[in-house]
Amino acid sequence: MRFLRAVCFIAPLVAGVQVDRRGREVYHGYKVFRVLTDGDTADFEAQLESLSAIELSRNRGHIDTQHFDIAVPPESLDAFHALNYEAETLTEDLGADIALEGELEPFPGLETSVSGANANAKVAAAAALPSFSWFSAYHPYADHLTFLKSLQAAFPSNSELITAGTSFEGRAIQGIHLWGSGGKASKPAIYYHGNVHAREWITSMTVEYITYQLINNYNNDTAVKAVLDNYDFYILPIVNPDGFVYTQTTTRLWRKNRQTRSGTTGAPGDTPENTGIRTYGDKLGAGKGIKLYIDWHSYGQYILTPYGYSCSAKAPNQSRQDTLAKNVGAAIAQVHGTRFTTGQTCSTLYATAGGSNDYFTDVTPAELAWAIELRDTGTNGFTLPANQIIPSGEESWAGQKYLWANF
Ligand SMILES: *[C@@H]1O[C@H](CO)[C@@H](O)[C@H](O)[C@H]1NC(C)=O
Ligand SMILES: *[C@@H]1O[C@H](CO)[C@@H](O)[C@H](O)[C@H]1NC(C)=O
Ligand SMILES: [Zn+2]
C-alpha cells in the first residue's frame, strides 16, 4: 500500500527534479530570493512560471515592503538574473536549509491507553502527558494523531477527540476539544486551525504546544484555569492532512490540498477540507458562539486582523482588535525578542478573497477572527529548523495568554 502510493506520487514529477531514495524531492542548489516588483504582479507571475520557480510568499501591503519570496531552481538561475529584478538572496541553498529541519522523528511511543483494572474504573485515570521532547523535532502525520490521543488520555475528564469532516483522500480531520469546570461545550468557543497550508509545519507544532501547555498548567496556573473554565477550546492542528502527508513523502514545499482541479472557483468551502472546518465552525457559532478564531500560518511574523477582501472596510470593533493584536505582538516580543507586524490583512499583507478570518467575521461571527503568520521572516521560511519549535511555542503561548487575559 505504502509502496503503491509512493509510485503514484513519483510518476508525475517532471524531468529534472531530483528525488532522494525515498522519492522525496530534494532542492539542492535552489536559491531563495526576495524580489521587489513594481506592482506588476501578473507579469511577474508569468516569469515565475517560465523559470519553474516556486512562489513561497508574497507581501502586497505597504508600497515599501512589497515583495515576492521565490525559490529558483539551479538551471534557471542565469535566466532569473538576466531579468534584472531588484532582489535580495535569502537562502543560498534551499536543500541545505531543509536538512536543518532534521529527520522526521517517530513518536516516543508511550502506551497511554487505559488498560486492565483502570479500564473498568468509572473514572478513567489520567495518563502522564507525552514527553516534552515531542517539541524537539518534526514528526510524521500518523504520530501527530497518536500525540493527540495521548494528550486526550492525559486530560480524560476535560477533553475529547473531535473530527471536522474528511479530506479529499479520505483522512479524518482530527483535533481535540478541551473544556473546564463548567463541563463540555458549556462556554463560547476558541477555535484554532493549523496547517491549512501543507508546507507550514511550524503551525501544527505550535498549536500542539499551546494545547499541551493548556493541559499542563490547568491545575496550577490561575490564568490558564480561568480561560479553560470560561471557554471551550476546539483545536485542529492539521486541517489539511493530505497536503501535509504529501510534503513529508514527496514535495516539501507543496501548499494546497491534494484535490485534482479543473478550474478553481476560489469560493469558500470549495474543497472537502474547507467544507469540513467551516461546517464545524458554523456548528460552534450556532452553539455557544465563537469568541476567538485563529488560523495559524507561516511565515512572515504577522498578526492579522480582518479584513482581507477590502483595505477600507472595517470589522466590528476594528480598533479594539488592532490594539489587542499590537499588544499580543508586544507580549510575544518579550519572550525571545521576535517582532511580529500587526494590522489588517489587506493593508498589511495582501488582498485575499474567501479568507477564513473574513468568513468568521461576517458569516459565522467570531468576536475576534485573526490569522497569525509564525516565524520566520524568510531566512528559513517554511523549513524552520527544529530547534525553533520550542521558542516559537513559548512566544506564541505568551501571546495567547496575553490575549485570553485581555480580550
Ligand atoms: C505547572 O505544572 C507543570 C507540570 O509540573 C509545570 O511544567 C508548569 O511549569 C507549572 N506551571 C506553573 C505556572 O507553575
Ligand atoms: C465588541 O467588543 C465588546 C467588548 O469590548 C464586546 O462585548 C462585543 O461583543 C464586541 N462586538 C462584536 C460585534 O464583536
Ligand atoms: Zn499559509
Side-chain angles (χ1 to χ4, degrees):
M1 183 59 203
R2 219 185 161 84
F3 176 70
L4 278 179
R5 230 192 171 80
V7 169
C8 299
F9 282 152
I10 293 166
L13 295 180
V14 295
V17 173
Q18 292 174 278
V19 297
D20 68 9
R21 68 196 146 75
R22 282 188 268 165
R24 297 178 304 189
E25 272 176 53
V26 292
Y27 297 86
H28 289 320
Y30 277 65
K31 287 194 183 200
V32 178
F33 298 102
R34 174 156 298 170
V35 184
L36 309 180
T37 56
D38 300 322
D40 191 354
T41 308
D43 186 53
F44 185 72
E45 285 174 343
Q47 301 284 11
L48 285 187
E49 201 151 325
S50 72
L51 296 170
S52 305
I54 304 167
E55 182 185 325
L56 302 177
S57 105
R58 60 172 77 188
N59 178 313
R60 309 299 305 162
H62 301 294
I63 193 91
D64 51 341
T65 58
Q66 290 189 352
H67 63 256
F68 279 84
D69 291 354
I70 60 169
V72 180
E75 62 275 14
S76 300
L77 286 169
D78 288 346
F80 171 70
H81 290 303
L83 292 170
N84 261 320
Y85 281 109
E86 196 181 337
E88 171 194 353
T89 306
L90 293 179
T91 295
E92 290 288 347
D93 184 352
L94 182 57
D97 257 27
I98 290 178
L100 290 178
E101 281 191 309
E103 284 297 314
L104 293 180
E105 276 189 19
F107 188 60
L110 295 181
E111 186 42 75
T112 52
S113 62
V114 180
S115 59
N118 280 346
N120 298 323
K122 281 221 169 64
V123 177
L129 269 169
S131 164
F132 191 74
S133 67
W134 172 260
F135 300 104
S136 302
Y138 295 100
H139 306 276
Y141 177 64
D143 292 331
H144 282 272
L145 302 184
T146 312
F147 181 74
L148 276 185
K149 275 192 203 138
S150 304
L151 288 180
Q152 197 284 323
F155 206 40
S157 310
N158 294 73
S159 71
E160 70 180 15
L161 296 176
I162 54 174
T163 296
T166 307
S167 72
F168 180 71
E169 291 179 344
R171 294 183 177 87
I173 298 167
Q174 296 194 34
I176 188 167
H177 170 193
L178 313 174
W179 60 84
S181 58
K184 179 177 156 185
S186 60
K187 305 288 182 191
I190 293 178
Y191 190 30
Y192 292 156
H193 291 168
N195 258 125
V196 172
H197 291 141
R199 60 195 178 183
E200 299 167 5
W201 290 3
I202 189 60
T203 63
S204 43
M205 295 304 301
T206 300
V207 164
E208 286 167 357
Y209 184 97
I210 292 168
T211 313
Y212 185 100
Q213 295 299 13
L214 280 167
I215 297 172
N216 192 32
N217 291 285
Y218 178 65
N219 286 317
N220 62 350
D221 180 329
T222 50
V224 173
K225 179 153 172 42
V227 73
L228 256 170
D229 285 348
N230 288 316
Y231 299 96
D232 279 62
F233 281 77
Y234 301 83
I235 300 173
L236 301 167
I238 303 177
V239 300
N240 177 8
D242 302 350
F244 184 74
V245 168
Y246 194 69
T247 62
Q248 298 195 322
T249 57
T250 310
T251 298
R252 176 65 189 85
L253 295 178
W254 187 261
R255 179 172 194 260
K256 296 181 179 168
N257 72 340
R258 294 296 300 154
Q259 185 167 14
T260 38
R261 289 161 179 239
S262 50
T264 54
T265 61
D270 68 343
T271 67
E273 293 83 0
N274 276 346
T275 305
I277 59 187
R278 195 179 39 118
T279 306
Y280 200 88
D282 292 345
K283 202 182 75 182
L284 299 181
K288 302 287 175 191
I290 306 176
K291 174 76 176 183
L292 169 67
Y293 166 77
I294 297 180
D295 192 5
W296 296 83
H297 290 260
S298 73
Y299 59 92
Q301 294 171 199
Y302 296 100
I303 302 171
L304 300 167
T305 61
Y307 286 107
Y309 81 91
S310 158
C311 292
S312 54
K314 297 291 173 225
N317 284 338
Q318 184 76 60
S319 64
R320 178 175 165 259
Q321 295 207 40
D322 290 332
T323 304
L324 272 174
K326 215 167 113 215
N327 293 341
V328 169
I332 290 172
Q334 275 184 9
V335 183
H336 296 291
T338 313
R339 300 270 159 204
F340 278 65
T341 304
T342 67
Q344 295 159 32
T345 307
C346 178
S347 53
T348 307
L349 204 52
Y350 45 73
T352 54
S356 63
N357 54 348
D358 288 359
Y359 182 87
F360 284 108
T361 300
D362 287 346
V363 186
T364 291
E367 194 178 315
L368 305 167
W370 294 4
I372 294 185
E373 300 272 355
L374 293 170
R375 292 182 176 209
D376 56 15
T377 56
T379 309
N380 295 99
F382 300 117
T383 55
L384 199 67
N387 66 10
Q388 293 195 40
I389 297 169
I390 292 172
S392 171
E394 288 168 341
E395 65 201 16
S396 301
W397 171 247
Q400 292 306 295
K401 280 187 80 176
Y402 175 87
L403 185 55
W404 303 329
N406 293 280
F407 62 16

